[in-house]
Amino acid sequence: MGDLPPLEVVECKTVGWLVAESDEVLMLAQNLGDVNTESAQASGLMRIPRVCVKRIADLCQLGGGVNER
């Protein structure tokens, strides 16, 4: 196991839909389907500790801007 990368923190950038949150965790979905129906679904769920989040920005459709929170 001598070929392991250096043990250091790296900055990550993640894009997704915020589908749930608590005081400790944000949950993002990479994909949404059947959004406007009773059978709505999400996939690619990722839980991120809130203390690791530096910034949250609302993304708009093409032609729009970015709104920071």
Side-chain angles (χ1 to χ4, degrees):
M1 294 198 5
D3 293 340
L4 293 174
L7 188 60
E8 59 187 45
V9 175
V10 296
E11 183 175 327
C12 298
K13 296 185 182 199
T14 303
V15 176
W17 282 268
L18 182 62
V19 294
E21 62 183 303
S22 71
D23 290 340
E24 297 177 352
V25 177
L26 300 173
M27 183 183 291
L28 301 179
Q30 294 176 344
N31 305 294
L32 298 177
D34 289 332
V35 184
N36 298 319
T37 70
E38 289 185 24
S39 60
Q41 46 187 301
S43 64
L45 297 174
M46 179 185 310
R47 292 174 298 272
I48 302 172
R50 191 178 283 274
V51 297
C52 295
V53 176
K54 292 183 176 181
R55 181 172 71 104
I56 297 175
D58 293 327
L59 302 179
C60 300
Q61 290 184 1
L62 189 61
V66 175
N67 300 316
E68 291 205 24
R69 293 202 246 166

